[in-house]
Each structure stands twice: as C-alpha cells, then as structure tokens.
Amino acid sequence: MTTAISRPRRPAQVADPDLPDAWAMARAQLRASAARTGIERDVVERLSHCEREFTLNFPVRMDDGTLHIFTGYRVQHSLARGPVKGGLRYAPTVAIDEVRALAMWMTWKCALVGLPFGGAKGGVRCDPHSLSDGERERLTRRFAAGLVPVIGPAVDIPAPDLGTGPQEMAWFMDTVSMHVGHAQPGVVTGKPVSVGGSEGRAEATGRGIALCTAWAADRLGIDLHRSRLVVQGFGNVGATAARLIHAQGATVIAVADAGGGIHREEGLDLVAVARHARIHGTVAGFPGTEPVGRNGILEVPCDVLVPAAVEGQITSANASRLSCRLVVEGANGPTTPEADEILLARGIPVVPDILCNSGGVVVSYFEWVQDLQQFFWNEAEVNARLGAIMRTAFEATWDRATTSGTTLREAALDLAISRVAETIRVRGLYP
Ligand code: GLU
C-alpha cells in the first residue's frame, strides 16, 4: 500500500500572459513539416485536428466542507497507430489549447521512437501544491471515474506529467479497477512498482535526456567532463537529468524551479539541493549560491542548457541572450519557432523535445506491455531496452538532419509525421 506523500505548499503559480500559443505553434510545425516532406492536404487536414476531445466539469469536496467544481480535459489527437498515450497535468494554467498541442506532440513523439501508440494528453486546472493529500486523492479519483468511458488499456492510457506522479497514478488505477470489477493495471502507466509499475519508469525521462546529451555532445565534440550544465526545472525530470548528466562528468552550475533558481559557478551539491527542495518546496534559497530567476537561469553562461520545466521558455525575447553551446529539451515545447530561428542563426543546436524526453513514454510502453503480459523485467533490462530504442531514434534524427540539411527538430518532426501520415494513407478513409 502506498501512502500519500505530503508536499510542502508553494505559492500558487500564475499563468504567464506572454506564453506563446502552443496549439498555434504545434499546428504551424505540422504544416511546415508537411510542406517539406510533401504530405497531401487531406492527411494534413486530418492531423491538424484532435480526433476526440473531452471536457469534464466535476465536483470535489474540499477539506473545509465546501464543494468545488474543477475543469479537466482529455484530448486524443490521433488514434491511427494504436491506443493513445500521454500524461495528465495538474496546473493552474491547464487550458484546452495547451492540452491539444501536448497531445499532438505525443503523437509525433510515439511515432519517432516507433511505439504502437497515438498521442493524447489531459489535465485538470488546479494548483496541486495548494491541495491537501485528501483533496488531491478525491480530485484524482473523481476525474478518473469521469474518464472511465473513454480510456482503457486498448484505448487510452494516461501517465504522469507536471504536477502528478506515481501516487496519482495508483489512485487512478484503483478507481478504474473498482469500476471494471477487477485489477486493471494496464489502464495507466507511471504507477508505483507495487501496483504494476515498471522498474526504471520514475527515472526514465531524465535518463533519456542524459543519454541524448551524451550522444549529442559526442557528435559535437563537447567534452562533458569539462562542461557546465544548467537545468531549468527541478521536478522529477529536471532533477534526474541533472544527476545523470553530472554522473557523466558535467558540473551542474545552476538549477531552477517555479520558486526561483540558484547559481554556483564551482558546482552544486545535487543531493543537498534536492534535500533543500524537499523541505522548502523550492531550490531557491539554497545556502552558498547566487539567486537567479527561473527565466534568468536560461541566460547563465554554460555549455549545455536543459530546459526541463514547461513550454514557451526560450522565445524571441531571450534567444539572442542564451550563452550555451547546446540546448537539450527536457520539457515539451520549451522553444518557440521564432527562437528556433534565432538559435539556428547563432549556430546553437537544439536536440528536440520529442526525441530527448521520449524516455518517459518509452518506459511507459514497457510498463503497459509488462502489465498486459503479466511478466515483469528487472531494471537493467528496462534500461537496456530504453537505451536501444532511443539510440535508434537519435541516430535516425541526426542522420536525417545531416543528409537533408534541416535542423534536428525539423528532422525529428519530418520522420515522425511521415510515419503517421503513411499509417493514415494505408488505412484509408472510413466509410
Ligand atoms: N508526460 C510524459 C510525456 O510528456 C509521459 C507520457 C507517458 O508516459 O505516456 O512524454
């Protein structure tokens, strides 16, 4: 039995009014890729829309006895290649267009690494840090119950994302299991190992980012042992990536989360920083460091920059001030198309999100496979399979960019979107 972990309460995050429109950005990427690869209009039109979109307004009893109506979404972008897959986000900024963009990016991500899934995403507009454990549990269970008719191991398999983790997935799995009358671990991934989760899943996204960083550094002649690393985002993904890239020799000089950032040129003690963050709810204020803003951190001079927070962080407003040799995208959509242009002109390569952060969904796929076959692998086996799949996708992306003269992002999108387009073409149009 897993127990709820109490989280320190943080100040509520507020929506950033300047955040670029992620859905417009995602659709523009699709159109540009289709123009490069010559995908026909009908297929582009189908992929420009999300196939199914669900909005749930649902009640939750709060600790003070009041009733609060929360709004949640589940968007299934493309069902062409298999069941749909993607995380559930709890954040005050959750909105339908953001969920649509994230669902579309999941379709491309799954196709790029060759998983038999389409893309989906969901979320609940709430501030998870201001909810008690009991409120989070009731919210998660009611949201899961509302989704029962439209999810399932053969249909749609949610997973953790920003603001959710193994505990929410365990509640989710339990609620769906109660509804269907038997344990159904394959309905959700990112669960604790004790309820059918996979070894290696918790670290998988960070591990994939660390692998891509090492391979990209190798291709670019960057010696990680002499490199300074900056990571924006110190949740599960950012903190694991920082630790594993540090284990490969890099010095982590700055990290930031929603509460602020810290900088120490001689390097940070990541174990101590993680302990501080657990106690205080943020890395900010860690002794012996200079404070940096969570946006200012992107401009700290370094060799490798890993934006691992949220979308729309590297924009036309700050891309010219980045001072790094390589950007490795841990978050989904952290760089806007305008910023991509600026970084291209400045000769700063960007290893794209749908490649770098695919480790999470790859091990989610392993978790789903293990749940369905009811036969489980050890961590070494999971990590070896993860490395093999990501290496293939990394090589294919890098080689395509080199031979076609595109950026790495364009190469990744072109490979992924062409695969989805081919599936749609071959399946044809019903009726
Ligand atoms: N939320 C993660 C992502 O954006 C994981 C999704 C999954 O495992 O299904 O890739």
Side-chain angles (χ1 to χ4, degrees):
M1 178 72 192
T2 40
T3 48
I5 299 147
S6 294
R7 302 179 185 187
R9 296 190 178 213
R10 274 196 212 147
Q13 291 169 313
V14 285
D16 182 346
D18 295 327
L19 213 60
D21 178 347
W23 181 224
M25 177 174 144
R27 289 176 123 189
Q29 286 172 342
L30 166 62
R31 282 193 299 273
S33 172
R36 280 192 300 275
T37 56
I39 297 172
E40 59 276 31
R41 185 197 159 278
D42 285 6
V43 173
V44 178
E45 195 57 29
R46 289 177 66 175
L47 287 171
S48 300
H49 297 84
C50 295
E51 284 189 42
R52 299 175 180 166
E53 305 183 339
F54 305 101
T55 302
L56 281 73
N57 297 303
F58 58 98
V60 176
R61 183 73 63 198
M62 307 305 281
D63 288 349
D64 65 4
T66 59
L67 184 116
H68 190 87
I69 305 292
F70 287 89
T71 299
Y73 305 100
R74 186 70 181 169
V75 170
Q76 302 172 345
H77 171 251
S78 168
L79 292 88
R81 285 170 55 89
V84 288
K85 192 82 194 77
L88 293 175
R89 173 174 287 203
Y90 289 179
T93 49
V94 166
I96 185 72
D97 272 352
E98 181 198 51
V99 180
R100 287 176 175 140
L102 292 161
M104 182 184 267
W105 288 330
M106 284 307 302
T107 301
W108 311 150
K109 193 186 300 187
C110 291
L112 180 65
V113 286
L115 306 183
F117 290 139
K121 204 77 172 198
V124 178
R125 195 177 310 133
C126 66
D127 177 12
H129 303 290
S130 69
L131 298 174
S132 70
D133 292 343
E135 289 168 340
R136 265 189 314 119
E137 175 170 359
R138 292 192 292 279
L139 180 149
T140 302
R141 288 186 179 279
R142 184 69 194 218
F143 185 46
L147 288 177
V148 164
V150 297
I151 57 167
V155 186
D156 181 350
I157 308 116
D161 198 80
L162 271 185
T164 60
Q167 179 62 76
E168 283 75 12
M169 298 306 113
W171 289 327
F172 202 98
M173 174 269 185
D174 181 67
T175 303
V176 175
S177 298
M178 289 299 105
H179 277 252
V180 298
H182 56 86
Q184 192 159 62
V187 71
V188 67
T189 61
K191 302 178 296 296
V193 171
S194 54
V195 293
S198 177
E199 297 290 348
R201 175 61 183 85
E203 290 197 341
T205 312
R207 184 172 297 281
I209 294 167
L211 289 172
C212 286
T213 303
W215 297 328
D218 191 44
R219 294 271 188 146
L220 296 167
I222 297 174
D223 178 3
L224 274 187
H225 280 94
R226 285 214 274 247
S227 293
R228 293 159 306 159
L229 176 73
V230 168
V231 182
Q232 184 202 38
F234 204 68
N236 175 36
V237 174
T240 306
R243 181 167 57 74
L244 295 178
I245 302 171
H246 171 68
Q248 302 181 86
T251 306
V252 184
I253 60 165
V255 297
D257 57 28
I262 53 173
H263 178 198
R264 184 172 179 270
E265 199 56 29
E266 301 74 34
L268 295 164
D269 174 348
L270 291 176
V271 176
V273 173
R275 195 180 317 119
H276 177 94
R278 263 196 309 278
I279 296 166
H280 301 280
T282 172
V283 297
F286 182 71
T289 60
E290 296 290 319
V292 279
R294 68 186 171 114
N295 297 326
I297 191 168
L298 298 168
E299 298 169 27
V300 171
C302 63
D303 298 288
V304 182
L305 174 64
V306 178
V310 290
E311 60 268 23
Q313 296 301 294
I314 304 176
T315 66
S316 55
N318 62 8
S320 56
R321 293 198 299 274
L322 258 53
S323 181
C324 60
R325 296 162 72 193
L326 170 66
V327 176
V328 182
E329 293 185 331
N332 292 308
T335 312
T336 65
E338 298 76 24
D340 266 337
E341 292 294 323
I342 295 168
L343 296 178
L344 176 65
R346 296 188 57 207
I348 301 175
V350 178
V351 193
D353 49 2
I354 59 169
L355 173 63
C356 294
N357 72 27
S358 64
V361 75
V362 170
V363 178
S364 274
Y365 166 60
F366 298 160
E367 180 173 334
W368 177 76
V369 166
Q370 293 171 84
D371 287 338
L372 294 186
Q373 67 185 8
Q374 300 188 27
F375 178 73
F376 290 84
W377 312 335
N378 63 33
E379 190 176 351
E381 216 168 335
V382 168
N383 288 346
R385 288 179 195 264
L386 169 66
I389 286 185
M390 289 199 66
R391 180 92 206 197
T392 303
F394 179 88
E395 301 288 340
T397 303
W398 202 283
D399 292 348
R400 185 175 179 115
T402 310
T403 50
S404 60
T406 62
T407 63
L408 292 166
R409 186 187 315 286
E410 289 166 342
L413 287 169
D414 293 355
L415 274 170
I417 296 172
S418 302
R419 284 179 191 159
V420 183
E422 179 60 7
T423 306
I424 289 179
R425 212 173 278 133
V426 174
R427 283 183 61 162
L429 182 62
Y430 172 88

